Amino acid sequence: MRAIKKVRLLIEQEPQDQTAQIFSHLILSLVEEVDFSVKDLYLLNSADFQLAMDILQEWRLDRYYMGKAKTFDVALQALSLVKTV
């Protein structure tokens, strides 16, 4: 199971829990591209801290693939312009 899904389930189960709140802030900061206080990660137990690291790694990888897909789309558009001219 991907880390993002694990966190979603954790937040859904106990949204008021401190761990769920930390993960909620982390996810929102990634989505909105705003600052997140790293010191909040140190409030997590070891397993949840590792889950947060997994979230960051997945998020970075997903952004890479999203950028790659956009580049592929632009490349296809550029090639189709050349073929129609």
Side-chain angles (χ1 to χ4, degrees):
M1 180 183 318
R2 292 187 58 172
I4 194 77
K5 186 174 181 180
K6 289 179 186 177
V7 166
R8 180 177 54 85
L9 294 173
L10 187 148
I11 294 169
E12 287 175 345
Q13 290 172 357
E14 293 188 55
Q16 300 296 322
D17 183 64
Q18 181 183 27
T19 299
Q21 289 291 306
I22 291 169
F23 279 122
S24 296
H25 286 268
L26 176 62
I27 297 299
L28 288 177
S29 71
L30 290 168
V31 170
E32 297 174 357
E33 296 184 357
V34 297
D35 291 340
F36 175 81
S37 178
V38 175
K39 73 177 183 167
D40 290 344
L41 295 178
Y42 292 107
L43 298 173
L44 300 172
N45 66 36
S46 183
D48 289 333
F49 181 86
Q50 184 56 54
L51 183 56
M53 296 300 103
D54 294 343
I55 287 286
L56 293 173
Q57 186 173 17
E58 282 182 13
W59 200 272
R60 183 175 172 91
L61 187 60
D62 287 346
R63 285 189 58 153
Y64 166 75
Y65 283 117
M66 188 169 45
K68 188 176 177 182
K70 288 178 185 177
T71 303
F72 178 72
D73 186 47
V74 169
L76 282 176
Q77 289 177 16
L79 289 176
S80 69
L81 289 174
V82 172
K83 291 178 182 178
T84 59
V85 174

